[in-house]
Amino acid sequence: MDEETADKTAAINLGQVEEPSKNALKEANKQRKLAEEKATKSATNTTKEVARSEAKRAVTKAPKKKIEGAALIGIDIAKEEDFSGWYQQALTKGNLSESEACFYSRDTSTDSDSHLKVGFAESGLLPRMLADSFKPASWFIWEQIRDWFDLRIKKLGVRNCAFPLFVSEDVLQREKAHIEGFAAEVAWVTHAGTTKLDKKIAIRPTSETVMYPYYAKWIRSHRDLPLRLNQWNSVVRWEFKNPTPFLRTREFHWQEGHTAYLKQEDAAKEVLQILELYAGVYEELLAVPVIRGRKTDKEKFAGGDYTTTVEGYIAATGRGIQGGTSHHLGQNFSNMFGISVEDPSAKEGEKKAAINVFQNSWGLSTRTIGVMVMTHGDNRGLVVPPRVSEIQVVIVPVGITAKSTEEEKISLHKQVDALEAILKAEDIRAEADKREGPSPGWKFNDWEMKGVPLRLEFGPKDIAAHCVTTSRRDIEGNDGKGTIQITELAAGVKSLLSSIQNDLYSRAEQVYKDHTKTITSWDAFVPALNEKNVCLIPHCLTEKCEDEIKEMSTRTDSDEVVDEKAPSMGVCTSSEKIVALTFRTNADFVIFKG
Amino acid sequence: MDEETADKTAAINLGQVEEPSKNALKEANKQRKLAEEKATKSATNTTKEVARSEAKRAVTKAPKKKIEGAALIGIDIAKEEDFSGWYQQALTKGNLSESEACFYSRDTSTDSDSHLKVGFAESGLLPRMLADSFKPASWFIWEQIRDWFDLRIKKLGVRNCAFPLFVSEDVLQREKAHIEGFAAEVAWVTHAGTTKLDKKIAIRPTSETVMYPYYAKWIRSHRDLPLRLNQWNSVVRWEFKNPTPFLRTREFHWQEGHTAYLKQEDAAKEVLQILELYAGVYEELLAVPVIRGRKTDKEKFAGGDYTTTVEGYIAATGRGIQGGTSHHLGQNFSNMFGISVEDPSAKEGEKKAAINVFQNSWGLSTRTIGVMVMTHGDNRGLVVPPRVSEIQVVIVPVGITAKSTEEEKISLHKQVDALEAILKAEDIRAEADKREGPSPGWKFNDWEMKGVPLRLEFGPKDIAAHCVTTSRRDIEGNDGKGTIQITELAAGVKSLLSSIQNDLYSRAEQVYKDHTKTITSWDAFVPALNEKNVCLIPHCLTEKCEDEIKEMSTRTDSDEVVDEKAPSMGVCTSSEKIVALTFRTNADFVIFKG
């Protein structure tokens, strides 16, 4: 899988993550705009580079005054104002991960500003920050995805297995295009205790080269095909770009499926079956719409024949994001690793030719969680779809005042427990929040930050009316409120959770649709991208052409400079029959028709 | 967890694993005995060392002629003759793991004998051999264990999470006793791509130091307690001893639970709850009896207060084996990592003292699978208990001869499919083996090697009698055969699987009991160990005493030499009230009474 898209989407700006005040942010943005204007006016790349780093410095120099007690009062960075700062807060305060720690070591954050000016790799931050720490609420989401997907691939005949974390340099390098794609990112173990190893050993960046020597051994006849294995594991890619929790971390969790077939058409069929399951994870579980497509050659998996992909859309940035990829590897790896069988269709007496098997590999990672957060989260924090939320319903007792007696409180708590029991008996993941101390209002905010999809409020008024008050996380204010009769509690809650799940998807889908534009003229292209759209464009799909589109559409937002280069786009627009979907990312791809 | 016991149990002898013929083995054993006798007669340690390595060489020099087609004809090393050679074959031919590969690289095994004379670490073998490759049948077993245990710890209130693979040197070293226990085994990443890292980074040998800095952050008040987290992951301990599949590999899979409590008694209670679940994994799922106990101080977890353990017994070697350990860490780590809360019992107005939390950690690894194989396997291959077997029942069509018509064959296969469907509908993991080519007899051997607990045979005679013929894997010959009426198929199979599960346990338990001896005189001790017994002995439990027992009982099997040293054992035998269970391993421990 290619995690390339991540930094395009999140566009983490190191200068903005330490909870700056809104004024500081505004000032920073102003300075950055000034610097960028300056950059735009310079004509050459070199001066633009300089201007851009000036722009960065401008942001870095912005005052970083902390809001006192910010951690207590919820999200204080607006999603539309500073997306990456918001994302950090949503994850940390929403209790999904220790994401803040991905950027700072507490050991160094206080000494000076210097660490803000350098990238993660050079900053000497604690290495334990190299990966997400999944708190139970986020790992629960991953477990839901795992269980859903695992059940379905097992039905397809895939079996789980586990292969080693380590791979030798020799084996790793056996497929040339593959190693070229990963060499720069491989982490090497060179010492054990105080002993230097004879040969350094790689940590797998993906497991093709770990597994396929075994495939060569295990596949001896066409009767051993198809071989379909999958593992749930973590891999390490030592990228030197800025990390983004869930989207780009040096260690990440995923599943990787590796299958081998006698016939290409059977392998090709599976590629799409798996892609459909990936779409299902996003659409059915995470309520995130995706478009199914095929990567351009430039963006395909290193060493593979072609790569299919599901691509999401982050409205807040107007950028696309790769969701999961299913690759057809052709015979590239089977050639290199000698995975072959005798042709079973050979007639008796004929010499049986060796056929190298056709292979697929496919991976879906915990990036799914990041995409979910970015899609649904708002300025009150996370919004977690009911199907994957560890807690689906929180029940908050209300209406206890200073005048209430101890008996009244105990009685209310007992009834709240009873409601919880009713819901749990119906397999609804419910929790009663009977914490002493915090007010109901504080609890409301707390659970909203954590994204719990449905809140039930229960107090003397509800008791009198034989109902509970409901409050949907996904709809703010009175529009999201309602009541359910206690006699109908479980059915009513189930129905409401189902509506929340569906509505989350529908709203996100509408946004995606509203921002998908069919563009046939170059003049309209960059402005459409700038309006945060996904553009369907005619495309000749050559790598040269792709490079040009990227260069021209990403170098700057200024129309003048783009116009200057426009004629060269003729290469692309001449072939109008092929449609490519273009985000402002590296992840151009062709959508599947129908 | 401490994997120390592994090599004592398996006693892998590198000279014997490459499928030598039985004659070669006998010759090798003869030579080894001669050399050992020579060793015994020499009085001093030094000469004994020399003699022992001579004995090893004798084995190494034994002819390693391969039996042609050995892979096709099943296990050809007897369990009682060469236990480690048998174990290798049982795993590989039983399709559990690529265990053979743990010892040899195919790239080097052909050039000379030289690699047989050196340990694994020095041999330049392919590093991908550093860990087990779990084929689906073995990973299925681990998934059964995971699901069973996971459900039960979740009921206790434990939640799953995931923490990074990497840990910085600073953090790793924070708890002194802990790092002393693991320093020599830590794998270090020093390079990424071609870039040398500023600071080397460790791969976790266990996750105390990875997780506890977060615990210090997350635990702010007694209301955050207990904190109970668990992760299913793999860890790396770069041991320079010989690897043994499932028992001792440099990367191994496990779960590690890490919990924090306000009160020691609550933590102590949990230690035993978990230990009981570990015993349950062995007893209920794997049909392996274990004894619950507490490790001696010398054997406890590095940095912990005390370690409880379940210990199994491998009859073939007469040695004990550590099954899983549940540690009480006391406040050792919370002191070092600053994990504290204000004392909630402080009266109002009083200064609230900080209390460092009481912690536990507990781990169960894929070694479980190795213990299962060693306990139940026989000279026909694996015997997998029904509860964890990926295939519980195999149905083999029989009675098709050269005279049978194509219609008869098709009809039989259809009926076999119907039997499979009946069983699957009742959630019995059944598979019909309709392979063309192999004879029924070949298939019988094949499934026996793989340890499938129950075979059904179905042919014209069975059809006429409206029944299926049953054959239990755990009972050889006619004693293990029977019939089930087709109308009773699912119920009959369920009942039989249940009997197999119970009988496997009962037999193993009887063997364990028969080999557990209460010994109160030193004279009887070493002979009892030599007869492959587990000995209950009086023990003062001091480390000095433990060292002496080990030294005197493991140095040699010759009675004379032991007697010579016997007087010094007075230190131990003087305190007869404490009873310790002693295997011929490092894993001495005190059993729990009742």
Side-chain angles (χ1 to χ4, degrees), chain B residues 186-303:
Chain B
V186 171
W188 292 100
V189 173
T190 58
H191 289 74
T194 54
T195 309
K196 187 171 189 296
L197 303 180
D198 287 349
K199 292 183 176 184
K200 66 179 179 180
I201 294 170
I203 301 179
R204 59 184 168 205
T206 177
S207 298
E208 279 75 6
T209 58
V210 180
M211 294 167 76
Y212 298 167
Y214 292 100
Y215 279 42
K217 199 173 171 186
W218 296 342
I219 298 172
R220 296 172 178 213
S221 139
H222 68 93
R223 289 186 194 86
D224 299 321
L225 297 174
L227 179 64
R228 289 173 287 194
L229 300 181
N230 176 66
Q231 58 181 342
W232 296 90
N233 58 355
S234 75
V235 294
V236 172
R237 296 180 190 173
W238 210 276
E239 300 193 72
F240 289 92
K241 292 166 191 161
N242 292 328
T244 305
F246 298 118
L247 297 196
R248 180 188 296 280
T249 51
R250 289 183 180 169
E251 181 197 3
F252 63 87
H253 295 267
W254 70 349
Q255 60 65 225
E256 49 176 327
H258 294 267
T259 58
Y261 286 85
L262 180 66
K263 297 192 171 166
Q264 184 170 33
E265 60 258 39
D266 294 334
K269 188 179 155 201
E270 186 205 70
V271 165
L272 295 182
Q273 284 174 325
I274 296 296
L275 192 74
E276 201 50 40
L277 292 180
Y278 287 166
V281 166
Y282 280 99
E283 294 168 351
E284 293 186 33
L285 298 185
L286 305 175
V288 170
V290 289
I291 294 181
R292 298 137 175 87
R294 178 173 159 154
K295 292 279 193 189
T296 54
D297 278 356
K298 187 180 169 69
E299 297 296 328
K300 73 178 183 183
F301 179 71

Side-chain angles (χ1 to χ4, degrees), chain B residues 97-137:
Chain B
S97 86
E98 202 57 29
S99 64
E100 186 192 6
C102 287
F103 296 85
Y104 299 124
S105 147
R106 282 178 297 152
D107 301 0
T108 61
S109 61
T110 49
D111 17 9
S112 79
D113 287 355
S114 66
H115 68 289
L116 295 177
K117 294 180 187 160
V118 293
F120 182 71
E122 301 78 27
S123 65
L125 298 187
L126 289 184
R128 68 188 158 88
M129 312 305 182
L130 291 168
D132 292 311
S133 292
F134 289 81
K135 297 180 90 167

Side-chain angles (χ1 to χ4, degrees), chain A residues 385-403:
Chain A
R387 288 195 62 175
V388 295
S389 190
E390 190 183 20
I391 301 175
Q392 297 174 308
V393 182
V394 64
I395 313 164
V396 180
V398 297
I400 293 292
T401 65
K403 287 176 193 166

